[in-house]
Amino acid sequence: MNYSFAELTKNYKSSAVREILSVIQQGNVISFAGGLPAEDLFPLDEVQTAYDKVFASGKGSLQYGLTEGFTPLREAIQAKMASKGIHTAIDNILTTTGSQQAIDLFSRIILSPGDVVLTENPTYLSALQVFRSYGAEIVSVDGDENGMEYENLETKIKKYNPKFIYVIPTFSNPDGKVWNIERRRQLLELCQKYHVLILEDDPYGDIQFNEGEVYPPIAALDYNQEHVLYTSTFSKSVVPALRTGWVTGPVPVMKMITQAKQMADLHSSSIDQQALYYLLRDFNLDGHIQRLRGEYYHRMTIMRDYLNKLEPGLFTWKEPKGGMFLWVKGQKHLNTASLLNEAVKKGVAFVPGAQFYVDNPEYHTFRLNFSHSTPDNIKLGMDRLVDVLLNPVMI
Amino acid sequence: MNYSFAELTKNYKSSAVREILSVIQQGNVISFAGGLPAEDLFPLDEVQTAYDKVFASGKGSLQYGLTEGFTPLREAIQAKMASKGIHTAIDNILTTTGSQQAIDLFSRIILSPGDVVLTENPTYLSALQVFRSYGAEIVSVDGDENGMEYENLETKIKKYNPKFIYVIPTFSNPDGKVWNIERRRQLLELCQKYHVLILEDDPYGDIQFNEGEVYPPIAALDYNQEHVLYTSTFSKSVVPALRTGWVTGPVPVMKMITQAKQMADLHSSSIDQQALYYLLRDFNLDGHIQRLRGEYYHRMTIMRDYLNKLEPGLFTWKEPKGGMFLWVKGQKHLNTASLLNEAVKKGVAFVPGAQFYVDNPEYHTFRLNFSHSTPDNIKLGMDRLVDVLLNPVMI
């Protein structure tokens, strides 16, 4: 039988990263490719204790829950956001299956085929896939290490009348950059002026190395709560397997998203949501995040010091101020997709950077994850990688 | 700011059932409205033991998982389906956040605006909402207590060229009916003849009262695995809070659904999936299902016996052979939406039947759930309900 799929499926593209990861998982390869948090730092005992509390609360804990999410967890999320300057009502907070689902549900209720989304370039690949799956056209905005450039942003808003602007302003994936406060304000001002929504994706904001600097979420600057959808997740700060993220934003948008959530899966796992509530209540999450910051910073510096050993000018990168990624540029003629094949043979992996681009892909870029591997494995993997970078066979 | 939503959101409609439920949850109302399993029968200790095994397996259990689902769980699902006559490869099984997500993801990859879906009438309200949210036109097929009628089905397939036919052949929601084997074969034959897909939704198939009769899933009759998407869930047979369902079907369809799943939420909770795997491995689930069958049958008979006390001819119903619902028809002039207001005042609730209809709603129908309330509460609630049914104030 021939299957006739929905018209929009012509926009589906399997993730190249995902295919790379499946290859890498075989054998003895040290992977700096995936965006995984450090397993060795997972608070396993505390998580188990939290689940015990769920079961101790009785059989009612195993029943269906509310589409909006487990109310005490949403109260805890409300408090967590308030500490970042985002003040919103509990009714305005929806728990989701990771922030990926928040990106998907928001896209579902806002995008019609042909609508335009403005993004950074490069940016999070799986968000691009979602936007395209709803038929959106993606247009990139010029930017530098501080965020989108004002003039180019205004020009493109006026030219394309976008449905929304997608940004990861704090320790971005893939390039690890953080927007300065001026650029955050400029984006919001332009969106207020031209009545455009912002989708602020903030999975990494907690993982900040330098405590002296403050990077307020753009949602915290949007006092009227009219222009910013803000999504984050506990996947990076607690554990990914819980698959618990959340989204908040303007009331009419949240009402529509909640309807979409109900159709999508009725509600996310309520056992996990209850466990997360007990974990946030009884576990020192802030202390845990402090520890992650210290460890991830340490791992980043090991990786950075290896890169420093390379001949100056051959590779360039900017030391990240947080997050999970180091973004490296080689010389213009380098093709990091070919380099990956060589690296995997030597037992180390990264993600070639080209696929993160909306347009004008830079084939000489690659992304290194420093959070997942232990310090010893980072050393082992970087020994291998530096060897490949200094003695590339192809080119 | 005025928000401009996606064109398809004009098809969104909040669930009236959901609004009823939120009203009912206040106060002392005994609810036969929701489709909830019996809390008092949840295997709480066994579920906790299963989670303990997850945590005992180490920190790796808390990491990101595969989009397709936790492989050992998918193996267990494969074996469970084989016992029902559905033989498929593990690669062809995707775990989902409840079967609701399977309905949604399949609709997403198959439906373009204007496409037609054929359904029973009445049928599962939340499935209708999903189909409409993708812009589908829903056309009902005439049926009787044994399933869709052959001639009408063929006429409508030829007339509307539907993208798929949605059925709950075994202990349906809302009307609790079960298709006989002839009608199952006829549906499949017509779909094979006209190259149409079937979405077989089977959340209740395990809850069968009469073991003598055999109701093979339509997917089990589809030897070439070309025409049937089959979805089921552990929400009814184990516990809903796990939010773990699955879907299987033709290879090209499953590949496309898996891509949609990746965009939708990367993967469902892997802690829950691992726990479910240990539960299925070490717990006598078949014995538990036997117990549920006995208990639910007992609860149904209590409810049935109350209905038998009513004046013959005033209300009609068919004793269900399984599932969770009793479907009752009053006399033509009865409006069960008005009746509900009266019932709630007396402390009992049901769902008015009209909203389950695609067209030609029968306002004199209502649905009673017999699984959720304890036998004592069923007696208390039915005392109240019979009082309302025999002495309705309005009409």
Side-chain angles (χ1 to χ4, degrees):
Chain A
M1 177 168 165
N2 285 318
Y3 301 98
S4 159
F5 293 107
E7 285 162 31
L8 287 172
T9 59
K10 68 179 190 291
N11 303 311
Y12 287 20
K13 238 171 75 177
S14 191
S15 160
V17 174
R18 196 156 166 265
E19 278 156 26
I20 291 166
L21 289 176
S22 69
V23 171
I24 290 165
Q25 273 159 3
Q26 304 149 8
N28 196 24
V29 177
I30 291 174
S31 176
F32 303 138
L36 307 182
E39 258 166 60
D40 51 311
L41 304 177
F42 287 159
L44 179 65
D45 293 341
E46 292 81 356
V47 169
Q48 177 160 19
T49 302
Y51 277 86
D52 286 344
K53 288 171 189 166
V54 177
F55 302 125
S57 75
K59 291 185 173 182
S61 64
L62 304 182
Q63 190 54 276
Y64 281 107
L66 295 176
T67 297
E68 291 82 352
F70 183 58
T71 306
L73 174 63
R74 289 157 71 214
E75 289 169 351
I77 290 170
Q78 184 189 38
K80 183 174 165 64
M81 285 198 297
S83 75
K84 290 176 184 279
I86 305 171
H87 301 278
T88 191
I90 286 173
D91 285 348
N92 243 11
I93 299 167
L94 173 75
T95 62
T96 53
T97 306
S99 49
Q100 181 74 28
Q101 190 182 39
I103 293 169
D104 185 59
L105 292 177
F106 174 63
S107 301
R108 178 173 177 167
I109 63 145
I110 215 84
L111 293 174
S112 296
D115 284 344
V116 171
V117 178
L118 299 186
T119 71
E120 300 170 90
N121 191 36
T123 190
Y124 177 48
L125 181 62
S126 294
L128 298 178
Q129 290 174 324
V130 170
F131 306 152
R132 288 185 181 124
S133 82
Y134 290 102
E137 184 193 345
I138 300 170
V139 175
S140 71
V141 177
D142 293 348
D144 58 24
E145 63 183 55
N146 295 314
M148 286 179 174
E149 289 173 3
Y150 185 87
E151 286 74 20
N152 191 256
L153 178 59
E154 182 162 28
T155 302
K156 284 182 173 157
I157 290 176
K158 281 156 69 172
K159 180 172 177 188
Y160 293 103
N161 187 24
K163 271 319 234 338
F164 64 88
I165 301 175
Y166 172 73
V167 290
I168 313 171
T170 312
F171 320 129
S172 177
N173 179 5
D175 60 355
K177 78 173 165 209
V178 55
W179 290 35
N180 67 23
I181 182 80
E182 189 191 355
R183 293 288 178 84
R184 289 170 192 250
R185 286 194 198 286
Q186 286 176 346
L187 172 65
L188 182 62
E189 279 165 22
L190 285 174
C191 286
Q192 287 168 337
K193 180 174 174 186
Y194 294 103
H195 309 294
V196 178
L197 284 166
I198 296 165
L199 175 54
E200 179 176 25
D201 189 9
D202 187 28
Y204 310 106
D206 278 335
I207 314 295
Q208 178 177 339
F209 299 148
N210 179 346
E211 284 185 45
E213 299 182 55
V214 177
Y215 311 111
I218 295 167
L221 308 174
D222 182 34
Y223 305 118
N224 296 328
Q225 293 179 37
E226 283 195 322
H227 292 86
V228 185
L229 263 280
Y230 174 88
T231 180
S232 186
T233 177
F234 293 99
S235 293
K236 274 64 179 185
S237 56
V238 185
V239 299
L242 284 164
R243 303 296 303 120
T244 305
W246 74 90
V247 58
T248 188
V251 173
V253 178
M254 290 308 301
K255 284 195 171 157
M256 197 66 90
I257 288 184
T258 303
Q259 282 198 52
K261 169 75 177 164
Q262 195 197 350
M263 292 187 285
D265 60 15
L266 300 182
H267 64 82
S268 297
S269 164
S270 44
I271 298 183
D272 296 346
Q273 289 185 63
Q274 292 170 79
L276 189 50
Y277 158 69
Y278 289 114
L279 191 73
L280 296 177
R281 191 190 69 176
D282 301 335
F283 172 56
N284 181 2
L285 181 64
D286 287 339
H288 180 67
I289 289 171
Q290 284 298 338
R291 191 176 162 219
L292 289 182
R293 289 171 173 177
E295 282 285 341
Y296 286 6
Y297 177 74
H298 174 58
R299 292 176 190 203
M300 184 276 290
T301 59
I302 298 173
M303 205 169 250
R304 176 200 66 192
D305 292 348
Y306 271 87
L307 292 173
N308 277 331
K309 290 181 192 167
L310 297 171
E311 201 183 320
L314 210 54
F315 293 90
T316 56
W317 67 93
K318 197 166 158 56
E319 184 173 316
K321 295 179 174 178
M324 298 174 20
F325 303 111
L326 253 165
W327 180 248
V328 187
K329 293 192 183 196
Q331 292 187 296
K332 288 278 179 191
H333 59 272
L334 188 72
N335 183 325
T336 57
S338 311
L339 195 70
L340 175 61
N341 287 327
E342 224 177 306
V344 169
K345 280 183 207 154
K346 292 255 168 75
V348 63
F350 53 80
V351 185
Q355 60 199 305
F356 294 106
Y357 286 83
V358 176
D359 44 29
N360 302 314
E362 302 201 358
Y363 294 99
H364 55 293
T365 58
F366 61 93
R367 189 190 76 176
L368 296 175
N369 166 272
F370 51 76
S371 59
H372 182 239
S373 301
T374 59
D376 281 349
N377 271 340
I378 290 179
K379 289 172 190 165
L380 195 58
M382 288 305 290
D383 274 334
R384 295 171 183 174
L385 184 63
V386 165
D387 188 38
V388 174
L389 293 176
L390 289 180
N391 310 293
V393 174
M394 83 305 144
I395 289 176
Chain B
M1 179 169 165
N2 285 318
Y3 300 98
S4 159
F5 293 107
E7 284 162 30
L8 287 173
T9 59
K10 69 178 189 292
N11 304 311
Y12 287 21
K13 240 171 73 178
S14 191
S15 159
V17 174
R18 196 156 166 263
E19 278 156 26
I20 291 166
L21 289 176
S22 68
V23 172
I24 289 165
Q25 272 159 5
Q26 304 148 8
N28 197 25
V29 176
I30 292 176
S31 176
F32 303 137
L36 307 182
E39 259 167 59
D40 52 309
L41 304 177
F42 287 159
L44 179 65
D45 293 342
E46 292 82 356
V47 169
Q48 178 160 18
T49 303
Y51 277 86
D52 286 345
K53 288 171 188 164
V54 177
F55 302 125
S57 75
K59 292 184 174 182
S61 64
L62 305 182
Q63 192 53 279
Y64 280 107
L66 296 176
T67 296
E68 292 82 354
F70 183 58
T71 306
L73 174 63
R74 289 156 71 213
E75 288 169 352
I77 290 170
Q78 183 189 39
K80 183 175 167 61
M81 285 198 296
S83 75
K84 291 175 183 280
I86 305 171
H87 302 277
T88 191
I90 286 174
D91 285 348
N92 244 9
I93 299 167
L94 173 74
T95 62
T96 53
T97 305
S99 49
Q100 181 74 29
Q101 191 182 41
I103 294 170
D104 185 58
L105 293 176
F106 174 63
S107 301
R108 178 172 177 167
I109 63 144
I110 215 83
L111 292 174
S112 296
D115 284 345
V116 171
V117 178
L118 299 186
T119 70
E120 300 170 89
N121 192 35
T123 189
Y124 176 49
L125 181 63
S126 294
L128 297 178
Q129 290 175 324
V130 170
F131 305 152
R132 288 186 180 124
S133 82
Y134 290 102
E137 184 193 345
I138 300 169
V139 175
S140 71
V141 176
D142 294 346
D144 59 23
E145 63 183 55
N146 294 314
M148 286 178 174
E149 288 173 5
Y150 186 87
E151 286 75 21
N152 191 257
L153 178 59
E154 182 161 29
T155 302
K156 284 182 172 156
I157 289 176
K158 282 157 70 173
K159 180 171 176 188
Y160 293 103
N161 187 25
K163 272 318 238 333
F164 64 86
I165 300 175
Y166 172 72
V167 290
I168 313 171
T170 313
F171 321 129
S172 177
N173 180 6
D175 61 355
K177 78 175 166 207
V178 56
W179 290 36
N180 67 24
I181 181 81
E182 190 192 355
R183 294 289 177 85
R184 289 169 193 252
R185 286 195 199 284
Q186 286 176 346
L187 172 66
L188 182 62
E189 279 164 21
L190 285 173
C191 286
Q192 288 168 336
K193 181 174 173 187
Y194 294 103
H195 309 294
V196 178
L197 284 166
I198 296 165
L199 175 55
E200 180 176 26
D201 188 8
D202 187 28
Y204 310 107
D206 278 335
I207 314 296
Q208 178 177 339
F209 299 149
N210 180 347
E211 284 186 43
E213 300 181 56
V214 177
Y215 310 111
I218 296 168
L221 308 173
D222 182 34
Y223 304 118
N224 296 328
Q225 293 179 37
E226 283 196 321
H227 292 86
V228 185
L229 261 282
Y230 175 89
T231 179
S232 188
T233 176
F234 293 100
S235 293
K236 273 66 180 185
S237 56
V238 185
V239 299
L242 284 164
R243 303 298 301 122
T244 305
W246 74 91
V247 57
T248 187
V251 174
V253 178
M254 290 308 301
K255 285 195 169 155
M256 197 64 91
I257 287 184
T258 304
Q259 282 198 53
K261 169 75 177 166
Q262 194 197 351
M263 291 187 287
D265 60 14
L266 300 182
H267 65 81
S268 298
S269 164
S270 44
I271 297 184
D272 296 344
Q273 290 184 63
Q274 292 169 80
L276 188 51
Y277 158 68
Y278 289 115
L279 191 74
L280 295 177
R281 190 190 71 177
D282 300 336
F283 172 55
N284 181 2
L285 181 65
D286 288 339
H288 180 67
I289 288 170
Q290 283 298 338
R291 188 172 165 224
L292 289 182
R293 289 171 173 176
E295 284 283 342
Y296 285 6
Y297 177 74
H298 174 58
R299 293 174 190 205
M300 183 275 291
T301 58
I302 298 173
M303 207 169 248
R304 176 201 66 191
D305 292 347
Y306 271 88
L307 291 174
N308 278 332
K309 290 181 193 169
L310 296 171
E311 203 183 320
L314 211 54
F315 293 91
T316 56
W317 68 92
K318 197 166 157 59
E319 183 173 318
K321 296 179 174 179
M324 297 172 22
F325 302 112
L326 251 165
W327 179 249
V328 187
K329 292 192 184 195
Q331 293 186 293
K332 287 279 179 191
H333 58 272
L334 188 72
N335 183 324
T336 58
S338 310
L339 196 68
L340 176 61
N341 287 327
E342 223 176 308
V344 169
K345 279 183 209 153
K346 291 256 168 74
V348 62
F350 53 80
V351 185
Q355 61 201 307
F356 295 104
Y357 286 83
V358 176
D359 44 30
N360 302 316
E362 302 201 356
Y363 293 100
H364 55 293
T365 56
F366 61 94
R367 187 190 78 177
L368 296 175
N369 166 271
F370 52 76
S371 59
H372 182 239
S373 302
T374 60
D376 281 348
N377 273 339
I378 291 179
K379 288 173 192 165
L380 195 56
M382 288 305 290
D383 274 334
R384 296 172 183 174
L385 183 63
V386 165
D387 188 38
V388 174
L389 294 176
L390 289 180
N391 308 292
V393 174
M394 83 304 145
I395 286 175

